[in-house]
Amino acid sequence: DAVADDYWNCGVRHIVALRGDPPADGDRYIPHAGGYAYASDLVAGLKARHDFEISVATNPEGHPQSASLDDEIDNLKRKIDAGATRAITQFFFDNRAYLRFVDRARKAGVNIPIVPGIMPVNAVKQVQQFSSKMGATLPAALLKRLELAAENPEVVEIIGIDWALTQIRGLLAHGAPGYHLYILNRARGALALTAGFAPVAPAQFFALGAGRTGRPRVEAAADRRHRARRRRGGHRVGEPGLSITSVDAPATRPARLRSPGCTTASTDRR
């Protein structure tokens, strides 16, 4: 309770509440002393203290510990009943999984925004391990492209960005409320992906290759979009929302709160 109070007093209004995953050397989740056994309990505890806006996790292909998609949706509904106002999905590589899940959740009475989670691929073995652990399906077409380029990390990264960009465009076209990026501490991919959807930072940060003039192709394209938007007075009306998670792995720490000390500049204070 004291930690939640500290966050509120620092001006934090939005919290992503996650239960956490089992330790790497175990398969059973053990709550931290004084913590919560389930994310729904954490949400309820936070809401009991202050009127936070709370985002929670869900898996469009079913959490490994969920018996079925219906079980996954029931768990999401428990978090909503506890006070969650938005859901962010685990990463996936086949948009049909997200669209089917959203349709099924809506029919079950879930009416909060469900934000798709996208992870640009950076390495073949890494994505295979993560996908196996999280139950995410790797489409055969993506896997084939990655395996052909496995000996060239830069090409693998470009393939990952291209696949993720195609995913995002398709998801937004089907009404997704935004997108959440799992970037695994690789900022270049995130900047390249957001270049087409939001006001961009200096384009040299996401250069991917040189054109005939010696300027990076992506930089030149991003510069043109940036200049055009400045002439129009800003970004397009209705551009999607974006959130980014930079972590070493998709696993999260156990569900507990740490006192912020009012110094965390990166905290969403909405």
Side-chain angles (χ1 to χ4, degrees), residues 92 95 98-99 114-116 118 164-181 193-194 196-198 229 236 238-242:
F92 57 90
N95 285 3
Y98 169 83
L99 297 173
I114 301 176
V115 179
I118 302 297
L165 183 59
T166 301
Q167 277 193 273
I168 292 170
R169 286 174 173 163
L171 291 164
L172 296 176
H174 281 84
Y179 55 101
H180 177 94
L181 298 179
L193 285 170
T194 57
F197 299 108
R229 286 182 186 175
R236 295 189 298 273
E239 285 184 331
L242 165 68

Side-chain angles (χ1 to χ4, degrees), residues 62-72:
H63 189 279
Q65 295 179 358
S66 294
S68 65
L69 274 184
D70 288 336
D71 187 37
E72 180 74 23

Side-chain angles (χ1 to χ4, degrees), residues 46-270:
L46 290 167
K47 293 295 283 188
R49 299 301 300 174
H50 301 286
D51 190 24
F52 289 108
E53 177 187 350
I54 300 178
S55 295
V56 294
T58 192
N59 193 322
E61 297 182 80
H63 189 279
Q65 295 179 358
S66 294
S68 65
L69 274 184
D70 288 336
D71 187 37
E72 180 74 23
I73 292 171
D74 286 343
N75 190 42
L76 175 58
K77 291 173 71 175
R78 283 190 288 272
K79 299 175 188 178
I80 296 170
D81 291 342
T85 54
R86 181 175 65 168
I88 301 172
T89 78
Q90 181 58 271
F91 65 83
F92 57 90
F93 300 103
D94 187 339
N95 285 3
R96 293 172 297 181
Y98 169 83
L99 297 173
R100 285 193 296 262
F101 179 78
V102 171
D103 183 62
R104 199 160 176 168
R106 297 291 181 240
K107 290 177 179 177
V110 173
N111 55 18
I112 64 171
I114 301 176
V115 179
I118 302 297
M119 186 177 76
V121 176
N122 292 315
V124 180
K125 290 184 178 180
Q126 180 189 62
V127 75
Q128 289 175 323
Q129 292 172 352
F130 287 178
S131 297
S132 176
K133 182 177 181 179
M134 296 299 163
T137 301
L138 266 176
L142 173 59
L143 186 57
K144 181 177 180 179
R145 291 174 65 184
L146 292 172
E147 288 176 341
L148 288 172
E151 301 303 319
N152 192 326
E154 290 187 359
V155 175
V156 168
E157 186 174 14
I158 291 172
I159 291 171
I161 291 171
D162 177 66
W163 190 275
L165 183 59
T166 301
Q167 277 193 273
I168 292 170
R169 286 174 173 163
L171 291 164
L172 296 176
H174 281 84
Y179 55 101
H180 177 94
L181 298 179
Y182 298 96
I183 65 172
L184 307 179
N185 293 328
R186 300 290 290 272
R188 184 171 67 169
L191 291 169
L193 285 170
T194 57
F197 299 108
V200 297
Q204 62 267 23
F205 287 113
F206 45 84
L208 295 183
R212 278 180 287 182
T213 62
R215 295 185 68 206
R217 295 189 187 95
V218 175
E219 177 183 338
D223 282 347
R224 287 194 296 271
R225 286 193 292 270
H226 188 46
R227 288 195 296 269
R229 286 182 186 175
R230 291 186 63 183
R231 288 195 296 270
R232 294 197 299 269
H235 60 280
R236 295 189 298 273
V237 174
E239 285 184 331
L242 165 68
S243 57
I244 295 177
T245 294
S246 178
V247 294
D248 294 321
T252 57
R253 292 186 177 92
R256 61 180 179 183
L257 293 175
R258 295 178 182 272
S259 179
C262 302
T263 60
T264 306
S266 61
T267 302
D268 185 341
R269 297 175 177 268
R270 291 179 296 163

Side-chain angles (χ1 to χ4, degrees), residues 1-25:
D1 289 350
V3 176
D5 291 344
D6 283 347
Y7 275 111
W8 185 266
N9 293 334
C10 286
V12 174
R13 296 295 181 266
H14 182 195
I15 290 179
V16 178
L18 308 174
R19 185 203 70 173
D21 292 319
D25 57 352

